[in-house]
Amino acid sequence: MTRAELIQQIKIKKTFLCVGLDTDITKIPEHLLAEEDPIYAFNKAIIDATADLCVAYKPNIAFYESYGVKGWQSLQKTWAALPKDCLSIADAKRGDIGNTSKMYAQAFFDEKQSGLGFDSITIAPYMGNDSVTPFLDFEGKWAIVLALTSNQGSLDFQNFENASGTQLFEQVIDKVNTWGTIENLMYVVGATRGEGFIKIREHAPEHFLLVPGVGAQGGSLQDVCQYGMNKDCGLLVNSTRGIIYASNGLDFAEKAREEALKLQKEMEAELIKAGIIN
């Protein structure tokens, strides 16, 4: 999916919602455990219930890798079920030296080789240029680089200042910007950072930002939009637990849709306020 296509979908669907598929078999409705592939059955129902209300899906790869071969098969089937009008994000947070990164890129981008053809992948940039650029070598794919996260441990490194007072996350964005463009680079920015988006936008005014932390993690959608939205929207706001685990009963898909619809309506209002849609 190109940047122009993503922006078009945001305007058509009047939303910038990303649904996280962090599917934990211990939390899905009990009746699905009788299915041949409970994880896929759960995911497929969530996808069918929310596809018109979001523009992206983000499976967290750890939730599939932890089940070994069966988990990988569930991931392949889930990826195949994702709507083509939604950006597919492999939330894998990979980051290694060049030849290894190339293999990771093939694992998630090269459908003929691996059975997966995600549009994008999250990347940890700590090892520098050769941990990111192999992903950018795949035409039409996106690297979504960790910039400013909202987990407790983020304070261990991300806010360190150099002698001129520039924080580490700012240096990361400035350097990564030289490796790609707004057509193939996005950044991960935690929603609970609030006004931190002002600083992010100073360094990445036009890039799309993938924003986790709205909903169950306490982030404010209004703050994210106030400080982070640009003329093209420039945001993909993720919600996981608040949507996919809205119910653990037979009505789980219906309840997931209800929660996704609430967010879609809030996002529509923000898009209208910003003059992006009428």
Side-chain angles (χ1 to χ4, degrees):
M1 178 176 285
T2 66
R3 188 175 191 275
E5 289 168 343
L6 178 57
I7 293 169
Q8 181 184 38
Q9 287 303 312
I10 289 170
K11 292 179 177 180
I12 290 172
K13 293 184 174 181
K14 302 178 181 180
T15 182
F16 43 98
L17 176 62
C18 173
V19 174
L21 296 173
D22 304 2
T23 306
D24 183 342
I25 201 168
T26 67
K27 294 181 179 180
I28 68 176
E30 188 173 351
H31 71 276
L32 292 178
L33 298 180
E35 297 283 342
E36 180 181 355
D37 187 339
I39 290 175
Y40 171 68
F42 177 81
N43 288 349
K44 184 64 165 62
I46 295 292
I47 292 166
D48 289 346
T50 59
D52 61 323
L53 303 174
C54 66
V55 294
Y57 287 96
K58 183 177 71 64
N60 186 312
I61 304 306
F63 285 80
Y64 302 86
E65 289 179 324
S66 64
Y67 296 109
V69 172
K70 288 184 178 180
W72 198 259
Q73 291 169 342
S74 298
L75 179 64
Q76 288 176 319
K77 288 189 284 185
T78 296
W79 169 77
L82 295 177
K84 300 307 179 188
D85 63 355
C86 290
L87 185 79
S88 57
I89 303 170
D91 190 6
K93 300 181 180 70
R94 297 300 194 252
D96 209 324
I97 59 173
N99 59 341
T100 309
S101 284
K102 181 180 178 181
M103 294 298 108
Y104 279 137
Q106 289 179 345
F108 291 100
F109 289 164
D110 190 341
E111 181 183 357
K112 290 182 179 178
Q113 177 163 308
S114 69
L116 293 173
F118 280 93
D119 295 314
S120 60
I121 185 171
T122 56
I123 301 172
Y126 187 77
M127 294 184 75
N129 176 286
D130 58 343
S131 67
V132 177
T133 52
F135 297 93
L136 300 175
D137 289 339
F138 277 77
E139 187 175 354
K141 303 295 186 178
W142 294 84
I144 308 180
V145 178
L146 298 176
L148 185 62
T149 60
S150 55
N151 60 301
Q152 184 177 353
S154 66
L155 299 175
D156 291 340
F157 299 117
Q158 293 173 23
N159 295 101
F160 277 8
E161 295 184 1
N162 63 15
S164 63
T166 304
Q167 295 180 88
L168 180 58
F169 75 87
E170 298 176 82
Q171 298 174 62
V172 167
I173 295 173
D174 288 342
K175 176 60 72 173
V176 174
N177 280 345
T178 68
W179 303 337
T181 71
I182 61 172
E183 301 288 342
N184 62 3
L185 279 174
M186 300 187 192
Y187 292 100
V188 178
V189 183
T192 56
R193 291 292 186 171
E195 294 185 14
F197 281 86
I198 297 175
K199 184 67 70 174
I200 294 289
R201 282 306 187 197
E202 290 176 5
H203 297 271
E206 296 183 73
H207 289 78
F208 264 85
L209 307 178
L210 174 62
V211 185
V214 166
Q217 291 176 260
S220 164
L221 178 64
Q222 288 70 35
D223 284 351
V224 169
C225 293
Q226 179 180 351
Y227 300 115
M229 187 174 281
N230 62 22
K231 62 181 176 59
D232 296 316
C233 180
L235 298 170
L236 294 174
V237 173
N238 182 78
S239 179
T240 301
R241 286 172 287 172
I243 292 177
I244 69 173
Y245 298 133
S247 169
N248 64 355
L250 294 173
D251 63 347
F252 76 96
E254 290 82 357
K255 293 298 182 183
R257 179 174 179 80
E258 289 177 12
E259 294 304 314
L261 182 60
K262 290 177 186 177
L263 277 172
Q264 184 272 321
K265 291 300 182 185
E266 291 181 39
M267 291 178 177
E268 181 178 358
E270 295 292 337
L271 289 168
I272 291 171
K273 186 191 303 184
I276 295 170
I277 62 172
N278 298 320

